Amino acid sequence: MHNETIREYLANNSIFKHSSPENIELFLNDDTVHVKKFRSGETIFSPEFKEKYVGIISSGSAIVATSASPENTLLKVIKENEMFGIANLYSDNENFPSIITAKGDTTVILICENAFKRLLENDKKLLTAYLSLLSNKIVYLNKKISTLTAGSTEKKLCVFLAENEHDGVFDSNVSMSSLSEMLNIGRASLYRALDALSDNGLIIRTGKKIIIPDKYALLQYCK
């Protein structure tokens, strides 16, 4: 990926599109922006990495897992144009909190900590977009907590589907095995919960998509 291509890519990114090309040119250069390619299963980032970077998936996808337990529980999948490393940018914690591995061949744009901070400090629109992204991450974590503490398997699944549906549809980009890890339940329990919700007409399964005809009814069922 050539420098010009990198700048064009950043200009279309959900965060960097709020910055001017002049600012990107001023603060991001060959010494502060790097492009790395990873094969499936390779570690992109982990607590062992001491330097802080902001990463953008420019192609492919990656799996984010917690390093707090021996099982490395899956947290989410990040796709093309999504970012990582921004939440701990100003944190006193020196270690990156998660393990990120490539899911298939993946290319990542890595931006040095100091360069990104300088850009934030000199571009109010970019700073606002950055704070908005952090707020969305907090909302996501709150949803994750409410899902994991919901109680029974069916309740966990109900809360998860209700909080992750878009226009009445949950379009899964992870396998059932990964989903069971995210919900911290067994695969057999997950399938039984899906069958129970289907039998009660609360969801309709079509391939990887789950249609939710009535979100309110779904939540009421699991109260």
Side-chain angles (χ1 to χ4, degrees):
M1 186 179 287
H2 298 292
N3 292 337
E4 185 176 339
T5 307
I6 293 173
R7 294 184 182 93
E8 289 177 356
Y9 191 90
L10 291 178
N12 292 308
N13 177 262
S14 58
I15 291 294
F16 286 98
K17 69 180 181 181
H18 297 280
S19 182
S20 67
E22 292 78 16
N23 278 343
I24 292 177
E25 187 74 27
L26 180 63
F27 292 100
L28 305 182
N29 52 55
D30 297 347
D31 295 326
T32 60
V33 181
H34 310 282
V35 177
K36 295 189 69 174
K37 294 185 177 181
F38 300 88
R39 293 182 178 179
S40 182
E42 278 193 288
T43 300
I44 297 174
F45 230 75
S46 78
E48 296 179 0
F49 288 66
K50 299 305 178 184
E51 295 184 31
K52 291 183 180 180
Y53 286 94
V54 171
I56 305 173
I57 306 294
S58 61
S59 67
S61 59
I63 296 171
V64 183
T66 177
S67 60
S69 64
E71 296 82 9
N72 293 336
T73 303
L74 185 146
L75 296 176
K76 65 180 295 187
V77 175
I78 48 178
K79 299 176 289 184
E80 185 175 339
N81 206 30
E82 293 186 336
M83 304 174 70
F84 63 86
I86 65 166
N88 69 316
L89 200 61
Y90 289 92
S91 170
D92 293 331
N93 188 354
E94 294 182 359
N95 294 331
F96 190 73
S98 308
I99 298 173
I100 301 179
T101 55
K103 186 182 180 186
D105 293 340
T106 302
T107 303
V108 180
I109 299 173
L110 294 170
I111 302 169
C112 294
E113 171 192 5
N114 290 335
F116 187 74
K117 283 183 176 179
R118 288 198 302 270
L119 185 53
L120 283 177
E121 291 162 3
N122 288 274
D123 194 320
K124 290 184 178 180
K125 289 184 178 179
L126 182 71
L127 177 60
T128 299
Y130 169 75
L131 293 174
S132 176
L133 185 58
L134 286 182
S135 297
N136 289 335
K137 282 184 172 291
I138 292 172
V139 171
Y140 169 80
L141 289 174
N142 286 336
K143 288 181 178 180
K144 187 78 176 178
I145 291 170
S146 64
T147 298
L148 293 176
T149 57
S152 69
T153 298
E154 286 185 33
K155 286 185 177 181
K156 287 183 178 180
L157 183 58
C158 283
V159 173
F160 177 83
L161 292 176
E163 292 180 342
N164 291 278
E165 59 84 27
H166 297 284
D167 297 324
V169 177
F170 171 72
D171 194 355
S172 174
N173 59 359
V174 297
S175 65
M176 287 295 107
S177 178
S178 296
L179 183 57
S180 68
E181 289 182 21
M182 293 173 72
L183 295 174
N184 196 29
I185 56 179
R187 287 185 63 185
S189 297
L190 174 60
Y191 280 113
R192 285 195 296 270
L194 286 168
D195 288 340
L197 297 183
S198 296
D199 292 343
N200 284 279
L202 296 165
I203 63 171
I204 302 170
R205 298 171 65 189
T206 58
K208 288 189 175 183
K209 291 184 178 180
I210 296 177
I211 299 171
I212 303 168
D214 189 335
K215 182 177 178 178
Y216 177 77
L218 180 70
L219 291 173
Q220 288 296 111
Y221 174 81
C222 290
K223 277 190 174 181

